[in-house]
Amino acid sequence: MTDSTECLKEKILIVDDTPANIDVLGGILVRDYEISVAISGHMALDIVYSGETPDLILLDIMMPEMDGYEVARRLKSNQSTCHIPIIFVTAKIDEADEAVGFEAGAVDYIRKPVNAPITLARIKSQLELKRYRDQLARMVEKKTDQVKHSQKALVEEKQKLTQVQGDLEEKSAQAHKTQTYFRELFMNSPYGIVLIGRDKKVLNSNKGFFDLFGYAYSELSYNEFPANMLDDRSQEKIEDLVQKALEGRTGKTETGCRHKNGFDIQVSALAYPVKIDGVVQAVFVFYEDITQRKLFEQKLHHQAFHDALTGIANRRYFTEQLNTLLQIQKKNSRFRFAVLLIDLDRFKNVNDSLGHQAGDQLLKMVAEKIKQCLRNNDLLARLGGDEFAVLLSDVDSNGLISAIAERITKAAASAFMVSGQEIRISASIGVVTHTQEYDTADSLIRDADLAMYHAKDSGKAQFQFFSSRMHKSALSCLTIETELRKALERRELVLYFQPIIDIASDTLEGFEALIRWHHPTRGVVPPDQFIPIAEETGLILPIGDWVIREGCRKLVQIKEDTGQLLTMNLNVSIRQFLQNDFVGKLKCEISKAGLTPQNIKLEFTESLLMKYTQQAVRKLYALRDLGVKLAIDDFGTGYSSLSYLQQFPIDQIKIDRSFIKAMDNKEESRKIVKSILALARSLNISAVAEGVETRSQLDQLSHLSCGSGQGYFIAKPMPWEDVYDFIVQYGKA
């Protein structure tokens, strides 16, 4: 006969002070169960005592005012609520906590973050047990009433004895059925179950036990577990679990066991006391195979703390270990450690030329090389991209740190064979040794990063120790960047103009536009103090666009004010030049100003020609086709390669001031200038001498037939307000 209430959803009360946790559990259970929630222990007790008795309670442990243990104790001490099964849901879980929870009356634990299939399975199992207990209790109660009724009927009416006897036989058959149900449940449960008597001998085991461990009940000699099934530690844990159950306490543990066939498995064991007339007569131990869960947890743990590509530690693990060493150092001031931050030089070239797969292979090879340079107790991690970090613990001298950094530098500079291609890179390393000055891993890594960039700026393939001046420099650069962004908005940037003259005729050819920053508190800031930062941050793009636009506008105004159509030299950065739309934007600005392209000369550095040959060739020819004149600035320094003059459509070279300055004192410099001028004439390229500061220099340049010159002897860079007067005065002279 089916009870109509079985069609209703079973009620589950979720108790947790964190709404997000309630949402997660509710989302898992709402389809199959009727859910009610409480956000505190007191609220939970009010709900239960109000008559809304749940079939099962999912109870958080860590709650303010009244924790889960106290809630469980109160419910279990009340006759009307002690039958409600309680499952603790918590991230705070160890054997001691489990013992407290089971002593308080819990039947099981669910770990946070919750796993939906495991959660549903455990809830279903406990509800099944509760239903069977409730069913048995109802049957016992019903049977008791029937017996009383039969006794009363026997006294009152002897003639009903036959009927009463028939009723008793029917109830006996029903009890036999119930016993059969429980036996079927025991034998066919998916859990491995053993029944252990008070003498700790195995009374029975089910098919699930055989499936899990490979041992049938008949193989449990002397009613004990096989010796090789449990090691000493596991044996101790199971015996302790059983002992507590014999004392009336439900308990649970996780341990390792060995299958009959010799392979290891991980199990969860739950011991449940069997009471008859209030006295524990035996113990059920339920075993669940959690091997896959444990393997999955191990995999997740490894993935959480290791780099997927190289297999070494990742940023998260490195940061945690670094914070741990910082704490150790606070307790032991004599403990020393160091941090090395490693960045691979020219790694981007590998990715760009051979592809990311080759780059990944190179990263793995570099990681192996670095590991070979370290001691056993040192930690290597990949922070991301081509950036690695090393944690040198328990170091006693900077000499040891330097030796390790040197080994890493040499290892990174060795040849690597990737996809049949020999690759050579290098490593720039930043080192922090005064770690006692730091409170957090992030600040320490930040300063190691600063030192690493100083190593790069100093020529790469080396290591640099961090010093406080590096931090001050970084803060200064950040301040300049912030103020430079505001300078664009506030129109604090201005152009100064330095005249360029024809040396032979002593006539004015034009001007070079030079940017200056009129800072509200610093005064006039020269370009070498802010242009490198603008290049690095990308601010050079809007600044460069403004220089072109303003230079064109001023050249038009010179024509309108003086009637002279001069030329304007404009400096172009590499980053600006490499923009896809650079030529189009330049053409648009020249056209808007009403100029012809021949009046504009663009100045480039030699590094542009050396580093970006293919890109530069196409774009320079496009500029030549437009009609713009092209000049190489600071010619003869840096990456000088005279052969490039034949490849590029260059109209003019500007001889670096260092050669001009030395002409008065060094014959070698005069010969160099003479050679440059001869080369320019042979290639039909005009030449401008930069940095002309004396009459002697100007006379020598005239004697060498140098076409043009500029410098302080002719005129310093001047603000726009002085340009008109200079043109007028120079024309008169």
Side-chain angles (χ1 to χ4, degrees), residues 216-268:
Y217 174 67
S218 59
E219 296 178 275
L220 303 180
S221 59
Y222 304 104
N223 303 107
E224 295 179 349
F225 294 122
N228 62 342
M229 177 178 161
L230 302 170
D231 59 23
D232 293 342
R233 176 59 179 154
S234 298
Q235 182 75 33
E236 181 182 338
K237 293 172 75 171
I238 296 299
E239 288 179 354
D240 182 63
L241 192 69
V242 172
Q243 180 59 42
K244 289 178 180 178
L246 288 172
E247 295 170 1
R249 294 176 291 170
T250 300
K252 185 178 182 181
T253 189
E254 293 181 356
T255 189
C257 297
R258 176 155 294 183
H259 192 274
K260 180 182 177 181
N261 293 336
F263 58 85
D264 294 330
I265 55 175
Q266 294 289 318
V267 297
S268 169

Side-chain angles (χ1 to χ4, degrees), residues 500-503 509 567 569 598 600-603 628-635 645 648-656 673 675-690 704-710:
I500 301 173
I501 66 166
D502 181 279
I503 295 177
E509 291 183 352
T567 60
N569 286 37
Q598 289 76 14
I600 299 297
K601 290 183 181 179
L602 300 183
E603 295 189 12
V628 173
K629 302 298 182 182
L630 306 175
I632 300 177
D633 196 14
D634 301 330
F635 184 80
L645 293 178
F648 295 97
I650 302 301
D651 299 290
Q652 187 177 76
I653 56 175
K654 302 189 73 174
I655 305 172
D656 186 69
V673 173
S675 298
I676 293 175
L677 291 172
L679 174 69
R681 282 192 292 271
S682 68
L683 296 175
N684 197 28
I685 296 174
S686 65
V688 178
E690 295 185 296
L704 293 174
S705 300
C706 179
S708 306
Q710 69 180 101

Side-chain angles (χ1 to χ4, degrees), residues 353-631:
S353 58
L354 300 181
H356 288 279
Q357 187 173 357
D360 289 347
Q361 185 180 349
L362 177 60
L363 288 173
K364 290 189 284 187
M365 296 170 71
V366 170
E368 287 299 320
K369 284 276 189 181
I370 296 176
K371 280 196 289 186
Q372 294 171 13
C373 301
L374 305 179
R375 304 167 300 168
N376 291 335
N377 61 332
D378 297 330
L379 174 65
L380 172 64
R382 181 182 175 219
L383 302 188
D386 61 341
E387 194 171 66
F388 296 85
V390 173
L391 189 55
L392 302 178
S393 59
D394 197 19
V395 291
D396 55 9
S397 70
N398 283 354
L400 173 61
I401 299 169
S402 296
I404 294 175
E406 185 66 31
R407 289 202 298 268
I408 295 173
T409 303
K410 290 181 179 179
S414 60
F416 296 91
M417 291 300 298
V418 178
S419 301
Q421 178 83 27
E422 181 177 295
I423 295 175
R424 288 189 179 271
I425 58 171
S426 59
S428 297
I429 305 174
V431 185
V432 175
T433 56
H434 298 290
T435 53
Q436 64 274 11
E437 300 174 4
Y438 297 88
D439 294 320
T440 66
D442 288 342
S443 59
L444 205 160
I445 293 173
R446 174 203 65 202
D447 287 349
D449 196 55
L450 279 175
M452 180 271 293
Y453 276 107
H454 272 262
K456 281 186 175 293
D457 293 340
S458 300
K460 303 179 181 179
Q462 59 182 277
F463 60 92
Q464 291 276 345
F465 285 89
F466 173 78
S467 64
S468 57
R469 64 178 174 77
M470 294 180 183
H471 192 230
K472 293 177 182 177
S473 175
L475 288 176
S476 175
C477 289
L478 182 61
T479 301
I480 291 176
E481 178 189 349
T482 302
E483 293 179 346
L484 188 57
R485 293 183 185 277
K486 295 178 181 178
L488 282 167
E489 301 170 1
R490 297 171 181 173
R491 299 183 178 179
E492 295 172 2
L493 300 179
V494 297
L495 290 181
Y496 274 49
F497 301 88
Q498 186 171 34
I500 301 173
I501 66 166
D502 181 279
I503 295 177
S505 64
D506 193 24
T507 57
L508 183 64
E509 291 183 352
F511 292 89
E512 179 180 357
L514 302 168
I515 192 167
R516 298 290 186 268
W517 179 6
H518 279 190
H519 194 280
T521 58
R522 301 172 189 245
V524 178
V525 182
D528 60 348
Q529 293 185 19
F530 66 88
I531 288 299
I533 296 174
E535 288 272 11
E536 182 179 347
T537 60
L539 288 172
I540 195 66
L541 297 179
I543 290 175
D545 291 344
W546 175 82
V547 167
I548 290 174
R549 185 167 53 253
E550 186 69 4
C552 291
R553 192 175 69 85
K554 294 300 186 185
L555 186 59
V556 171
Q557 194 166 341
I558 288 173
K559 180 182 178 182
E560 293 175 350
D561 293 345
T562 67
Q564 297 186 48
L565 185 57
L566 304 175
T567 60
M568 185 68 72
N569 286 37
L570 302 173
N571 291 279
V572 177
S573 74
I574 294 176
R575 195 163 182 173
Q576 181 183 12
F577 177 74
L578 292 178
Q579 284 184 291
N580 292 331
D581 59 348
F582 173 73
V583 177
K585 290 169 67 174
L586 176 65
K587 180 179 179 181
C588 180
E589 292 296 342
I590 293 174
S591 176
K592 284 168 58 177
L595 294 170
T596 59
Q598 289 76 14
N599 297 116
I600 299 297
K601 290 183 181 179
L602 300 183
E603 295 189 12
F604 304 96
T605 62
E606 287 182 278
S607 59
L608 170 68
L609 310 183
M610 294 293 295
K611 290 184 178 180
Y612 303 97
T613 305
Q614 294 182 352
Q615 297 178 62
V617 167
R618 291 192 298 270
K619 198 160 290 186
L620 289 174
Y621 273 98
L623 290 170
R624 187 194 66 174
D625 293 342
L626 179 63
V628 173
K629 302 298 182 182
L630 306 175

Side-chain angles (χ1 to χ4, degrees), residues 194-406:
V194 291
L195 181 63
I196 299 175
R198 291 191 59 82
D199 58 357
K200 299 185 180 179
K201 301 294 184 182
V202 178
L203 302 178
N204 202 354
S205 65
N206 71 342
K207 180 178 179 296
F209 185 87
F210 171 77
D211 293 339
L212 185 57
F213 298 107
Y215 294 99
Y217 174 67
S218 59
E219 296 178 275
L220 303 180
S221 59
Y222 304 104
N223 303 107
E224 295 179 349
F225 294 122
N228 62 342
M229 177 178 161
L230 302 170
D231 59 23
D232 293 342
R233 176 59 179 154
S234 298
Q235 182 75 33
E236 181 182 338
K237 293 172 75 171
I238 296 299
E239 288 179 354
D240 182 63
L241 192 69
V242 172
Q243 180 59 42
K244 289 178 180 178
L246 288 172
E247 295 170 1
R249 294 176 291 170
T250 300
K252 185 178 182 181
T253 189
E254 293 181 356
T255 189
C257 297
R258 176 155 294 183
H259 192 274
K260 180 182 177 181
N261 293 336
F263 58 85
D264 294 330
I265 55 175
Q266 294 289 318
V267 297
S268 169
L270 171 67
Y272 191 84
V274 179
K275 296 182 180 180
I276 300 177
D277 296 331
V279 179
V280 177
Q281 298 295 337
V283 173
F284 274 122
V285 182
F286 298 81
Y287 291 96
E288 179 186 3
D289 186 353
I290 60 171
T291 304
Q292 292 302 315
R293 192 193 83 196
K294 285 293 186 181
L295 291 174
F296 185 66
E297 289 174 354
Q298 292 172 7
K299 182 178 179 182
L300 287 179
H301 184 273
H302 187 274
Q303 290 175 345
F305 291 102
H306 290 79
D307 176 51
L309 176 64
T310 62
I312 61 177
N314 60 9
R315 177 183 286 272
R316 178 180 177 185
Y317 185 74
F318 184 84
T319 302
E320 287 191 5
Q321 294 302 304
L322 189 50
N323 279 321
T324 298
L325 291 191
L326 287 171
Q327 295 304 314
I328 293 174
Q329 193 172 61
K330 289 185 183 300
K331 298 175 183 178
N332 180 9
S333 59
R334 300 180 64 183
F335 177 75
R336 287 193 63 195
F337 69 94
V339 170
L340 280 63
L341 198 142
I342 307 163
D343 189 84
L344 303 184
D345 306 321
R346 302 187 305 277
F347 177 77
K348 184 177 183 297
N349 294 342
V350 177
N351 270 344
D352 291 345
S353 58
L354 300 181
H356 288 279
Q357 187 173 357
D360 289 347
Q361 185 180 349
L362 177 60
L363 288 173
K364 290 189 284 187
M365 296 170 71
V366 170
E368 287 299 320
K369 284 276 189 181
I370 296 176
K371 280 196 289 186
Q372 294 171 13
C373 301
L374 305 179
R375 304 167 300 168
N376 291 335
N377 61 332
D378 297 330
L379 174 65
L380 172 64
R382 181 182 175 219
L383 302 188
D386 61 341
E387 194 171 66
F388 296 85
V390 173
L391 189 55
L392 302 178
S393 59
D394 197 19
V395 291
D396 55 9
S397 70
N398 283 354
L400 173 61
I401 299 169
S402 296
I404 294 175
E406 185 66 31

